[in-house]
Amino acid sequence: MASARNGTLYLGVTSDLPVRTCQHRNGLVDGFSKEHGCKLLVWYEAYDDLDAARLRELQMKKWKRAWKIELIEQHNPQWKDLYETLF
């Protein structure tokens, strides 16, 4: 999730991406994403295994910001909100 292009980034894991994204978009989740206005789904990866997804999250949280931005821009150079693509 992002607040805007090159804005604040939030990284998390969920078992229901459409529902969780909707919660973030509407400010229903207290915490970092709500405080920083992270409402745009600009990148995601799908996993069949929750443990693998959590491991990836932990790895990426150690990444430099520039690496995260590079990953987003490789797949979504315009930083479009991908929420509608989930349906």
Side-chain angles (χ1 to χ4, degrees), residues 31-47:
F32 183 90
S33 64
K34 184 176 180 178
E35 291 170 16
H36 295 276
C38 297
K39 297 182 177 188
L40 303 173
L41 179 65
V42 294
W43 173 86
Y44 64 91
E45 288 181 1
Y47 287 84

Side-chain angles (χ1 to χ4, degrees), residues 2-52:
S3 61
R5 182 183 190 118
N6 295 313
T8 303
L9 301 176
Y10 169 80
L11 179 66
V13 172
T14 181
S15 60
D16 193 337
L17 186 57
V19 169
R20 190 64 167 167
T21 302
C22 184
Q23 291 170 341
H24 284 297
R25 288 166 57 95
N26 291 295
L28 303 176
V29 180
D30 287 333
F32 183 90
S33 64
K34 184 176 180 178
E35 291 170 16
H36 295 276
C38 297
K39 297 182 177 188
L40 303 173
L41 179 65
V42 294
W43 173 86
Y44 64 91
E45 288 181 1
Y47 287 84
D48 292 328
D49 179 40
L50 188 56
D51 289 331

Side-chain angles (χ1 to χ4, degrees), residues 42-45 70-78 82:
V42 294
W43 173 86
Y44 64 91
E45 288 181 1
E70 183 179 332
L71 181 63
I72 292 166
E73 291 188 345
Q74 284 175 357
H75 300 279
N76 186 4
Q78 301 301 317
L82 303 175

